[in-house]
Amino acid sequence: MQRGGARGTARDIPSATVGRLITYLRVLNGLEARGVERVSSDLLADEAHVSAFQVRKDLAYFGTFGTRGTGYTVSSLKGELKRILGLTRPWRVAIVGMGRLGQALADYPGLSEYDFDLVAAFDVDERKVGQRHGGVVVRHMGELGAAVAELGLEIVLLTVPVGAAQAAVDAVVAAGVRGILNFAPTVVSVPEGVKVEPVDFLAALKRVSYFLHEGALVEDRG
Ligand code: NAD
């Protein structure tokens, strides 16, 4: 028997745990696509590259799932994780900054595949206004407030230059958006109740560089 519901919300749990829940959901999607109906914590752990203890600890944050010995039903656990992660309905997303990165993100089909509906795009450059990318027509930043009310925008992908990031964030927050994915490599300030998540592939590259360099140092020493 599949037991239990969630004990709490995802609000207070460590971000590393949230990151692993997202990984578990990806693994479950893959298992479901392969026709697998049940999964043990050992298999889930294996595919997510963590320990089975970690899987059980992460899921215990939200109550008891699954049955001792027989593991979890893939579809039920997937449903629970989607509920915990707020992925049971599409989110209305806009891009602010329709340069190279903004245009590439707008054209990426994965957004809607994962229930993030791109419904608007904004730029300050008059030459970009009116262009169509990924099914949306670029609007001027001056229309942001009205568009948030009209379209119910909830999340902004921020792809403006570093020097424009804080002003753009201020405009986004003033318009009533509470979720921002910040691609500009700079720290921005937001009031309480607004979530900014930084995305920085160059920082990730530096971690790879550190790993390779550190390996070379260990070999040098050895
Ligand atoms: P870009 O110059 O091609 O595009 C930036 C766009 O933002 C332009 O169209 C510009 O008119 C617009 N803009 C400027 N100020 C604005 C404002 N206040 N409001 C709305 N739009 C505004 O730059 P790009 O190469 O697309 O890079 C965009 C940002 O993403 C940069 O900060 C860059 O460093 C960053 N970046 C991040 C990653 C990552 O992994 N996170 C990868 C590549 C680039």
Side-chain angles (χ1 to χ4, degrees):
M1 193 186 73
Q2 193 84 14
R3 275 181 297 145
R7 229 184 356 229
T9 68
R11 205 162 286 273
D12 306 320
I13 67 166
S15 75
T17 304
V18 176
R20 285 191 297 272
L21 296 182
I22 293 164
T23 304
Y24 302 153
L25 181 56
R26 181 166 45 74
V27 168
L28 291 167
N29 281 332
L31 291 173
E32 197 171 59
R34 276 150 44 196
V36 177
E37 288 176 6
R38 296 195 69 83
V39 61
S40 62
S41 37
D42 283 336
L43 177 59
L44 193 50
D46 231 38
E47 300 238 347
H49 300 286
V50 297
S51 70
F53 172 75
Q54 185 74 67
V55 169
R56 286 192 288 268
K57 190 172 163 213
D58 287 337
L59 297 182
Y61 265 106
F62 307 96
T64 41
F65 303 113
T67 318
R68 191 175 287 276
T70 61
Y72 312 95
T73 306
V74 169
S75 61
S76 310
L77 185 55
K78 199 182 127 176
E80 282 295 336
L81 289 181
K82 284 183 83 165
R83 195 184 56 72
I84 290 163
L85 292 167
L87 295 172
T88 50
R89 67 166 177 92
W91 292 90
R92 300 175 73 74
V93 173
I95 300 176
V96 168
M98 285 301 285
R100 284 163 292 208
L101 184 57
Q103 290 177 24
L105 289 172
D107 286 330
Y108 174 58
L111 266 181
S112 57
E113 269 168 39
Y114 288 95
D115 266 356
F116 293 99
D117 290 346
L118 180 66
V119 292
F122 301 89
D123 206 291
V124 286
D125 185 345
E126 296 289 353
R127 290 167 302 179
K128 304 238 165 81
V129 173
Q131 288 181 2
R132 178 175 281 275
H133 297 282
V136 296
V137 174
V138 180
R139 305 178 188 212
H140 193 271
M141 268 303 268
E143 294 177 38
L144 183 67
V148 170
E150 174 202 336
L151 302 169
L153 299 177
E154 298 169 294
I155 299 175
V156 155
L157 312 186
L158 190 77
T159 47
V160 299
V162 163
Q166 186 62 57
V169 162
D170 292 345
V172 165
V173 171
V177 174
R178 294 198 306 116
I180 299 170
L181 198 55
N182 178 23
F183 289 83
T186 184
V187 176
V188 289
S189 306
V190 289
E192 208 171 312
V194 177
K195 170 73 175 166
V196 178
E197 186 69 27
V199 181
D200 189 347
F201 92 103
L202 284 171
L205 260 182
K206 286 173 195 161
R207 278 196 290 277
V208 175
S209 143
Y210 167 74
F211 176 85
L212 297 177
H213 169 69
E214 182 67 2
L217 289 182
V218 170
E219 272 169 31
D220 274 357
R221 273 185 238 127

